Amino acid sequence: LAMHIYLINIYMHYVQILGYKSEALLKLHKQEEAEVVCTEALKLEASLWKLGVVPADSFLHMLRAHIEMSLGR
């Protein structure tokens, strides 16, 4: 059980790191790369939802909205 919790914690941090990477790419005006990284983070977050782990914030969704706006969608 402790190992399971540890692995979930690692995945949660990895999702957050991908979000930060996507945000940095967006600030560097690399919108397409930011979109790819953000999409990957959202997929990992969705897999955590399936395990019953609910993320604490909406950072990725706000970031996704910024990416969509910068791409003109």
Side-chain angles (χ1 to χ4, degrees):
L1 181 63
M3 185 61 140
H4 181 70
I5 293 170
Y6 177 74
L7 290 175
I8 288 174
N9 198 15
I10 288 174
Y11 280 121
M12 288 176 62
H13 289 306
Y14 185 62
V15 168
Q16 192 173 19
I17 289 169
L18 286 175
Y20 293 144
K21 181 178 180 179
S22 181
E23 183 179 30
L25 288 167
L26 184 61
K27 288 182 180 183
L28 292 171
H29 304 288
K30 297 183 177 183
Q31 291 90 349
E32 291 81 15
E33 292 177 49
E35 181 180 28
V36 169
V37 173
C38 188
T39 300
E40 181 181 341
L42 286 167
K43 286 179 184 177
L44 282 173
E45 188 178 71
S47 66
L48 287 171
W49 272 88
K50 290 178 185 176
L51 293 174
V53 179
V54 180
D57 59 21
S58 59
F59 171 66
L60 290 177
H61 297 288
M62 291 188 318
L63 182 59
R64 183 65 181 208
H66 283 276
I67 292 170
E68 294 290 328
M69 286 189 301
S70 69
L71 289 170
R73 297 182 192 162

